[in-house]
């Protein structure tokens, strides 16, 4: 099993859209996928067809009341993936969980039973670097950073990567970078290609070859509660996320060591 977190403290960069489409993209290859929505806005849950009044029980229930993950997991209405919804109750997570023993590892512990049931767990994070994203960085094997191709984004990426290293040092465990993915690219803007070039100069191979273009079909799909693979399978948005799913699978299989051979006596 691999656990993959979508991290960026900036909002509106495509974390949720990427989480939802990687989840559905991986599920469409036959994998068993769990998507965990850690955002109080619950955009990923709504994007997969959950009604706003039906968000509880959510991941907050599991975190606050120490309930097993299975009791808050349901089938997503809009895709063949399991979902633990987010909800407004997550707004108070920093306060509610501040006094908990091992508060940075709560999610890691909750997700332990998922290892047997799923091939991939996807964590959609809120736009911050507070306790829930930190929990995700600790719980995940890999993290993926969606980046909008604007000059101001470049600096943000560096400090985000530094934060993950601080978590590794401070807590003793942290996800490794699977890659940076350019999202919402609009090549009519002159800066777009320049920023992508700078990003590749700075971060080299870490930048995925796939660039997700701005495509209205992606935001439309969300409002219908299904992924773009369902809503507009021929769109550039669908092409982009199919290609990203392939690249993610390639990177995972290249970097996941084979299980150690049985020890020979
Ligand atoms: N490639 C894209 N093309 C067009 N709209 C997009 C694209 N990616 C995301 N969006 C839209 O932009 C908004 C923010 O995206 P979202 O994935 O929710 O970002 P985040 O989770 O980082 O805040 C949403 O309304 C979403 O539908
Ligand atoms: Mg989001």
């Amino acid at each position: 099993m691999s656990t993959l977190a979508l991290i960026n403290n900036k909002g509106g960069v495509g974390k949720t859209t990427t989480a939802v489409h990687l989840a559905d993209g991986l599920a469409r290859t036959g994998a068993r996928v769990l998507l965990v929505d850690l955002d109080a806005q619950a955009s990923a849950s709504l994007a997969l067809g959950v009604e706003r009044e039906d968000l509880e029980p959510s991941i907050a229930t599991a975190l606050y009341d120490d309930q097993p993950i299975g009791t808050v997991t349901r089938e997503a209405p809009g895709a063949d993936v399991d979902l633990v919804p987010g909800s407004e109750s997550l707004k108070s997570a920093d306060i509610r969980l501040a006094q908990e023993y091992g508060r940075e590892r709560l999610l890691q512990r909750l997700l332990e039973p998922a290892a047997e049931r799923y091939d991939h767990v996807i964590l959609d994070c809120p736009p911050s670097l507070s306790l829930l994203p930190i929990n995700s960085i600790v719980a995940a094997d890999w993290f993926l950073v969606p980046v909008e191709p604007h000059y101001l984004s470049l600096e943000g990426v560096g400090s985000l990567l530094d934060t993950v290293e601080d978590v590794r040092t401070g807590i003793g465990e942290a996800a490794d970078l699977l890659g940076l993915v350019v999202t919402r690219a609009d090549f009519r803007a002159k800066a777009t290609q320049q920023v992508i070039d700078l990003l590749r100069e700075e971060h080299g191979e870490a930048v995925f070859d796939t660039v997700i273009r701005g495509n209205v079909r992606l935001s439309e799909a969300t409002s219908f509660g299904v992924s773009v693979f369902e809503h507009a399978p021929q769109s550039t948005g669908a092409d982009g996320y199919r290609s990203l799913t392939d690249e993610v699978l390639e990177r995972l299989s290249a970097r996941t060591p084979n299980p150690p051979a049985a020890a020979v006596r």
Side-chain angles (χ1 to χ4, degrees):
M1 194 209 41
S2 64
T3 304
L4 225 152
L6 279 297
I7 308 273
N8 194 326
N9 49 321
K10 221 168 155 296
V13 299
K15 284 182 294 298
T16 298
T17 305
T18 304
V20 163
H21 289 93
L22 275 182
D24 195 23
L26 290 165
R28 281 166 190 264
T29 70
R32 299 165 302 166
V33 179
L34 174 67
L35 174 62
V36 183
D37 183 354
L38 290 154
D39 194 347
Q41 306 266 336
S43 320
S45 311
L46 302 172
L48 284 179
V50 179
E51 300 291 333
R52 196 174 284 281
E53 55 281 1
D54 195 26
L55 291 168
E56 302 286 357
S58 69
I59 187 66
T61 319
L63 286 166
Y64 300 166
D65 304 339
D66 212 8
Q67 295 293 311
I69 196 85
T71 63
V72 294
T73 303
R74 60 179 92 175
E75 288 175 19
D80 192 15
V81 310
D82 279 359
L83 171 73
V84 180
S87 74
E88 283 220 321
S89 329
L90 290 170
K91 272 193 206 154
S92 48
D94 282 3
I95 295 164
R96 293 279 301 254
L97 302 174
Q99 306 300 328
E100 295 274 327
Y101 176 75
R103 61 186 175 175
E104 293 92 359
R105 292 183 181 272
L106 298 172
L107 185 63
Q108 183 181 52
R109 263 198 286 131
L110 264 181
L111 288 174
E112 270 167 18
E116 281 174 21
R117 260 180 271 159
Y118 299 101
D119 300 307
H120 304 283
V121 177
I122 311 283
L123 309 176
D124 186 30
C125 289
S128 73
L129 287 170
S130 57
L131 191 54
L132 292 175
I134 301 283
N135 260 272
S136 299
I137 291 168
V138 174
D141 305 305
W142 304 101
F143 71 103
L144 203 146
V145 185
V147 187
E148 271 193 289
H150 301 158
Y151 279 104
L152 285 174
S153 312
L154 294 171
E155 216 174 307
V157 171
S159 70
L160 180 62
L161 299 180
D162 289 345
T163 302
V164 174
E165 290 320 304
D166 291 345
V167 171
R168 195 183 312 284
T169 311
I171 299 171
E173 208 172 347
D176 290 314
L177 176 65
L178 192 67
L180 310 171
V181 56
V182 176
T183 59
R184 308 188 71 179
D186 175 2
F187 287 100
R188 289 168 303 183
K190 223 175 111 196
T192 302
Q193 190 57 54
Q194 292 170 353
V195 175
I196 294 174
D197 292 345
L198 283 172
L199 201 64
R200 290 195 197 283
E201 239 169 67
E202 177 99 354
H203 299 284
E205 300 272 288
V207 184
F208 284 101
D209 291 336
T210 304
V211 170
I212 306 292
R213 292 168 179 254
N215 180 212
V216 69
R217 298 285 179 232
L218 285 165
S219 40
E220 275 175 14
T222 302
S223 57
F224 291 129
V226 294
S227 78
V228 78
F229 302 129
E230 191 72 33
H231 170 61
Q234 315 292 341
S235 60
T236 53
D239 285 344
Y241 277 112
R242 262 190 296 269
S243 151
L244 183 65
T245 303
D246 289 345
E247 257 194 279
V248 163
L249 282 171
E250 274 167 33
R251 289 193 180 194
L252 286 176
S253 69
R255 295 180 196 186
T256 308
N258 291 322
V264 182
R265 296 214 260 162

